[in-house]
Amino acid sequence: MKKSFPKKILVVHGPNLNKLGKRNPSLYGNVSLKKLNLLLKKTAALQKCLVIPFQSNSEGRLVDKIQIYSHTVQGILINPAAYTHTSVALRDALLDLSIPIVEVHMTNIYRREPFRRHSLTADAVSGQIVGFGVDSYVYGLNALLNMI
Amino acid sequence: MKKSFPKKILVVHGPNLNKLGKRNPSLYGNVSLKKLNLLLKKTAALQKCLVIPFQSNSEGRLVDKIQIYSHTVQGILINPAAYTHTSVALRDALLDLSIPIVEVHMTNIYRREPFRRHSLTADAVSGQIVGFGVDSYVYGLNALLNMI
Amino acid sequence: MKKSFPKKILVVHGPNLNKLGKRNPSLYGNVSLKKLNLLLKKTAALQKCLVIPFQSNSEGRLVDKIQIYSHTVQGILINPAAYTHTSVALRDALLDLSIPIVEVHMTNIYRREPFRRHSLTADAVSGQIVGFGVDSYVYGLNALLNMI
Amino acid sequence: MKKSFPKKILVVHGPNLNKLGKRNPSLYGNVSLKKLNLLLKKTAALQKCLVIPFQSNSEGRLVDKIQIYSHTVQGILINPAAYTHTSVALRDALLDLSIPIVEVHMTNIYRREPFRRHSLTADAVSGQIVGFGVDSYVYGLNALLNMI
Amino acid sequence: MKKSFPKKILVVHGPNLNKLGKRNPSLYGNVSLKKLNLLLKKTAALQKCLVIPFQSNSEGRLVDKIQIYSHTVQGILINPAAYTHTSVALRDALLDLSIPIVEVHMTNIYRREPFRRHSLTADAVSGQIVGFGVDSYVYGLNALLNMI
Amino acid sequence: MKKSFPKKILVVHGPNLNKLGKRNPSLYGNVSLKKLNLLLKKTAALQKCLVIPFQSNSEGRLVDKIQIYSHTVQGILINPAAYTHTSVALRDALLDLSIPIVEVHMTNIYRREPFRRHSLTADAVSGQIVGFGVDSYVYGLNALLNMI
Amino acid sequence: MKKSFPKKILVVHGPNLNKLGKRNPSLYGNVSLKKLNLLLKKTAALQKCLVIPFQSNSEGRLVDKIQIYSHTVQGILINPAAYTHTSVALRDALLDLSIPIVEVHMTNIYRREPFRRHSLTADAVSGQIVGFGVDSYVYGLNALLNMI
Amino acid sequence: MKKSFPKKILVVHGPNLNKLGKRNPSLYGNVSLKKLNLLLKKTAALQKCLVIPFQSNSEGRLVDKIQIYSHTVQGILINPAAYTHTSVALRDALLDLSIPIVEVHMTNIYRREPFRRHSLTADAVSGQIVGFGVDSYVYGLNALLNMI
Amino acid sequence: MKKSFPKKILVVHGPNLNKLGKRNPSLYGNVSLKKLNLLLKKTAALQKCLVIPFQSNSEGRLVDKIQIYSHTVQGILINPAAYTHTSVALRDALLDLSIPIVEVHMTNIYRREPFRRHSLTADAVSGQIVGFGVDSYVYGLNALLNMI
Amino acid sequence: MKKSFPKKILVVHGPNLNKLGKRNPSLYGNVSLKKLNLLLKKTAALQKCLVIPFQSNSEGRLVDKIQIYSHTVQGILINPAAYTHTSVALRDALLDLSIPIVEVHMTNIYRREPFRRHSLTADAVSGQIVGFGVDSYVYGLNALLNMI
Amino acid sequence: MKKSFPKKILVVHGPNLNKLGKRNPSLYGNVSLKKLNLLLKKTAALQKCLVIPFQSNSEGRLVDKIQIYSHTVQGILINPAAYTHTSVALRDALLDLSIPIVEVHMTNIYRREPFRRHSLTADAVSGQIVGFGVDSYVYGLNALLNMI
Amino acid sequence: MKKSFPKKILVVHGPNLNKLGKRNPSLYGNVSLKKLNLLLKKTAALQKCLVIPFQSNSEGRLVDKIQIYSHTVQGILINPAAYTHTSVALRDALLDLSIPIVEVHMTNIYRREPFRRHSLTADAVSGQIVGFGVDSYVYGLNALLNMI
């Protein structure tokens, strides 16, 4: 049934995002990752687009998944979480792609620890949306759909 | 007639944005500031919101305007342009407010000169949207409307 | 009537100080700029000195005013606010003068963001008084009167 | 049988610690990881506590394991080894927890390469014990048991 | 009458240059801005070029003026003074132009305070002439005329 | 007789201030420490306050004295001199107190060697007064009396 | 049949190298990883040496593999790719070995982004060969064979 | 009676630790230095070891005491407090010794001001224990006893 | 015949300038050093000044030549090329002179690699002219003639 | 006879390499420069290539030689030794060439003093080979021959 | 008897120098401080000069002593040891003097830890002699006698 | 006749020292290099030592000379002047030697420009003597004679 949609988007969640809803709710809200993915799927379905969500705590497996889907999807929505600030491997995987990529962060990372202000991935993506909680994903998805 | 809308948003354009459409089109596109403001007005009107656009090349007049409207509007959409990186005065003006503020940039500032990667205003705003050209404004306006 | 005083002092208030009393009262107190100026005028009048207060959010207009009054007044009391940390133009305007200048800050700027710890104007003034709220101005005015 | 103990502690060993005993013995001693874990188990058993040891060379799997056990154990004893200095993901996983965590290092990391002097995890833990070889673990375990 | 000249050059003087002749004469000489402008007008007239001088202490008004004249003049001679070191707005205004621009400084800025050694505008201009007092302007004007 | 005053203030002079009057008079003036203390005593006595002056070249003894008087006096006036820039011990001693503290410097320390621009004590005090010579002390004393 | 060779060399390919031939061909050429490995096997076979190639996007699995083969092979040829610049774990794994190691890079990493100029592994290896495309591997393999 | 113990340990407390129990109890707890020393004496006595406690606010006297006891005791337990970060003299005194030394801190110094993260003494000691309050001393004493 | 001119100027060309005309023409133009020297000689002759050109790739020989001519010429025109950024010896040789010196660069060095933005010689010269190609020399020569 | 070879390569040895064999043998081996050059000549002769070796302690003469041979040879093999880290002149000379250049170092410069880790020439060459002693030259020569 | 000498020199030994002869003999030799002082006294006596030696581990007492003798002696020979790198108080005490001062170090401090390469006192003294062991003092004493 | 002395010392003078006596006399005195060499020869002759003086403005020739004499002399007295701060080649030449080397400077280099505070040669020499003018050489020569 998935194949019936003409468009596909890979949604990549970085480390610790599987704890969403349970992890520091005052900072990240109480929507679970499962619910967030459902919300994204519904939003995309309205535009005949299939969302393929993936979460991993492993830098290597995130790179694996991006490589595998790079020729199947028309865009990538990514919240690299902690790897935003440390992963050259992820940066290289994204730099190799020619499809549009949007980076999102739930919190305003520019208000947190100094090392969170530096993003290795930011200059490998088309645009960046930060600080709107779960809505960062929704806005990012819509922005991506507009670009495809 | 302006008063008939229940919501009002101040849209602040920083220095050199009055040249939009004529200024480096390969980087900033060819939509003029006038057309951009019209687009934002229409978008907001759909949600019964009035957009009050303002542009200035002067740091002081941008601060003046923000102070004047701070009790009249329900949110601020701002592209501080060059002042993003140099103006503590603008930062202080924004830090004093309790209404939601969204910062937008048309280009992906993280791909340009190193000094453009540091934003003095970023930690004074709710969220930031960068890299989507004219659409950065539209997404930012919608994000703001959701927060009001 | 102003001319009847033998001494004159220019009091310069930098950006956002027009919001005094309304701006972050837990940090800046609740005395308005109008009341502060009145207090300074009264204090100076006791020593037969006229206080000429001026506030602007514009770096250029602050420089203009300092140039205009530089040959009319016997001293300058200045709270450069945000421009303390970013304005070489203000620094140059002050460095050109030979009358005494006292810099004041209401808050202890050394307890705030790191960039507030560096003052471009500090080495262009005679002395600096920080951290006593509205009293910083009063102490600064008296110090200035002692120097004239 | 494990369940018969009222207390449980997760012991996390970072990359290359599986080579303990064989790896640079003049620096790390010649006790193998297996023997070290046995020693910790015996020490904990005296206080009716079960030790659950885990080692991995993968940042992602270390994060996985910490997430899985975070609601089952009463404390974590961790030697993040190389990830001490590079893993924001591990830092985030630890920051999300509310149980006591003790960080240990066998060598005095402050005597080695400059980059080993900076610990990303140190401010996510209760305390830190460095430089006592295998005993760093034993002291850390006892400290943890005192805190539970 | 101005229109009778086939060539036009905008001469931009930054903050505090209106005090020329009175300001620190041992450093800046005792030629007034008025006299300097007259000298430049005469020099340019010999080559059938009209000089349009402008001075302001306001960053915003300098940007305004450059924008307004950018399509009317064939070249810009600029002494950004203090804004050389702090104004990204001025830099952006100059970067947008395709006419030749020459930057001049009366003093050898590389012999003064460390922050004066860094010029934000230097890489937005064709060439730079520093250290010859009033003659820096004359040399710069001639260089500009050669390029038109 | 000392006890007859309802208020007490400890005045702490850091290293080399015992040479006041003899030490570099063009920089520090020619009032001796003895005379300065007398002046402060008289000034305080007008407000029924006893001044307890103390000078030492030893970091440790300055800390000792602050600890001893911390429960006896209502405020501290301190010129930490050289220890301003190097003493974490003095900083810790001051941070532990809940009475008002005013830091003074006779010279404008922001005009001297770069290392003098950084004060370890500045964020442990209520306010700071610099650059007025002996008057820095008098202004500081009055500011302190106003706070008690 | 593998065992019939008296010498064995582990060839380690870091993240994204599995995309060789497809990844940015103008930078990395169009030889696939499979072909590269075949080339290395043939080259080694001439000297009665078996090449054991391994690629992974995961830092942890690269460390695992190096540990497993450290006692079976006589040398390691490694292109750590992105992990060159971020992996202390890989550095530690290599530092523990006493067999010769040669590090290779296809591109001249000193001509790329500043962070690529710093190699965490460089001082854990015998020698380094950079900038010769696929030939970097061949030269590195021959250098390694000379050292065994 | 002291001499009857076969082992002796010098316990060195740095500046402001004489205020223990009264100093910032939320950070340092409410055990006084006297009680802490008693606790350490009792703990050591169980292993037939005499504890010789010493506190001073003076860097020089701490160095004096360490020199005096360096040939009499079998180990040193030290909390250098503020001098951890500023004293090369203390570092030199400790580097000269060949007996075991353990450094302890009551608070997790890696969670406090940036300058507290750098320890001049850390690489002059055998091991370091931080963040366990009064227990840091007890654990450190036991670690020291194990090394003698 | 050289002696018949009342004025003499030494023109110093630094390393690689002997390749002028052949070296990177898009950056340095296609005028050869021989032609440039001829042009300078003709320009100077109009003002009865003899130009003595000298080029060397050797730092030491450039210093030699400056020392030899320092008492014979009335001014020096120098393009230190690569030695601008690395030679303290050249700086010292120039600092010892009391005749006017003008530094020129053909390209706008502030637009090139970061290390080219720092000039060791700039504060040893009267003025600096950069970015006008061969004309930088001509303008510099005229500026020098005006100063003699 | 030299001319009978169709290919020519310039081999450039930087400062102190004339002492090879006598200089620190544990670091640089005991092959003399003469023998090394003979080895390179023989290796090249096998591929009908003439090696032209040159050594100098003078930065200027190294630049001279490179300029002279730049149109005669088909490639350059260079060990810039100490000038790797300090010579912009050498960098400029190499940047001007369009023939292949290979940089070699006998020792692993990344294991030595920090300033040796920065190479000014590295981004002016095709590739770099470090750490194989005399073999670095041989591998570099072969790599160069493959590129011609 | 001391008074019979026409010249007097204060010899100041910083912290830990009282351990000379016993402290790290491979670094500092095995001459005791007592013997060193005797040697200096004899050397000075030949030139009718009295040497007044003083050692303290306390920064404050070193400052005290320098102040006390500053009007009695004709020169100061000082080895500030650890305080070389941390004491602004000592620097200030020396800067206040107008008699010649020579700074000596037994070891070559430029070969040790990086922080030992920075001397706060070096620019407060006439000259500096480092690296000759006990002879550094003798040479320094003779240099001082030549200056008096 | 030179050979009749049993000891020989090479005295190396760096760039611009040939101008001694004429160069900035207020800084370097008015003794010429010729006179200085004569003084050193006489001083050495008293101890049956021959002084071989050499001066050059060329880094390469200084290295040449040191290499040539390294097996003929028993010690080197060197004032590297400007090359102190920039020459790794000189540093390498000195590091290769096993005879004693003393570095001297006439001025107190720690009181001059910041870049003069860093010496590349200081850790390649036995000792350093700075700030005594011509006497720095005399003291250095005597120190060297004591070491041979």
Side-chain angles (χ1 to χ4, degrees), chain A residues 16 18 23 57 82 113 115-116, chain D residues 60 64 67 89 91-92 96:
Chain A
N16 293 304
N18 54 329
R23 179 193 183 194
N57 293 327
E113 299 100 317
F115 66 79
R116 288 203 209 265
Chain D
D64 290 348
Q67 291 180 347
R91 171 190 171 92
D92 281 356
D96 280 350

Side-chain angles (χ1 to χ4, degrees), chain I residues 5 28 33 36 39 43-44 46 48 51-52 55 57 73 78 83 85 87 89 91-92 102 116 129 144-145:
Chain I
F5 281 119
Y28 295 101
L33 186 61
L36 169 57
L39 173 64
T43 306
L46 296 177
K48 299 210 177 298
V51 152
I52 304 164
Q55 191 276 335
N57 293 327
V73 299
I78 184 166
Y83 292 134
H85 318 295
S87 177
R91 171 190 172 93
D92 281 357
V102 173
R116 288 201 210 268
I129 296 178
L144 202 53
L145 287 167

Side-chain angles (χ1 to χ4, degrees), chain J residues 29-49:
Chain J
N30 45 27
V31 176
S32 70
L33 186 61
K34 201 175 160 184
K35 279 199 181 162
L36 169 56
N37 284 334
L38 208 65
L39 173 63
L40 295 175
K41 280 180 179 175
K42 282 184 186 165
T43 307
L46 296 177
Q47 300 199 35
K48 298 208 176 302
C49 175

Side-chain angles (χ1 to χ4, degrees), chain J residues 65-99:
Chain J
K65 195 61 96 180
I66 289 167
Q67 290 181 346
I68 288 167
Y69 278 92
S70 63
H71 297 292
T72 321
V73 299
Q74 281 78 47
I76 294 182
L77 183 69
I78 184 166
N79 178 348
Y83 291 134
T84 307
H85 317 295
T86 65
S87 177
V88 175
L90 208 55
R91 171 190 171 92
D92 281 356
L94 296 173
L95 280 174
D96 280 349
L97 307 182
S98 52
I99 52 174

Side-chain angles (χ1 to χ4, degrees), chain K residues 58-128:
Chain K
S58 156
E59 184 181 9
R61 287 178 59 205
L62 292 168
V63 171
D64 290 348
K65 194 62 91 179
I66 288 167
Q67 290 180 346
I68 289 167
Y69 277 93
S70 63
H71 297 294
T72 320
V73 299
Q74 282 77 47
I76 294 181
L77 184 69
I78 184 166
N79 179 350
Y83 291 134
T84 307
H85 318 295
T86 64
S87 176
V88 174
L90 207 54
R91 171 190 172 91
D92 281 356
L94 295 175
L95 278 174
D96 281 349
L97 306 183
S98 52
I99 53 175
I101 309 166
V102 172
E103 177 180 338
V104 296
H105 294 278
M106 297 179 74
T107 59
N108 184 341
I109 54 177
Y110 303 105
R111 275 190 182 157
R112 300 179 63 191
E113 300 100 317
F115 66 80
R116 289 203 208 267
R117 282 182 218 153
H118 184 248
S119 165
L120 276 165
T121 45
D123 67 354
V125 302
S126 310
Q128 201 191 31

Side-chain angles (χ1 to χ4, degrees), chain K residues 1 30 34 37 56 66 89 96 102 113 119 126 130 136 143:
Chain K
M1 193 187 103
N30 46 28
K34 201 175 159 184
N37 284 335
S56 176
I66 288 167
D96 281 349
V102 172
E113 300 100 317
S119 165
S126 310
V130 311
S136 287

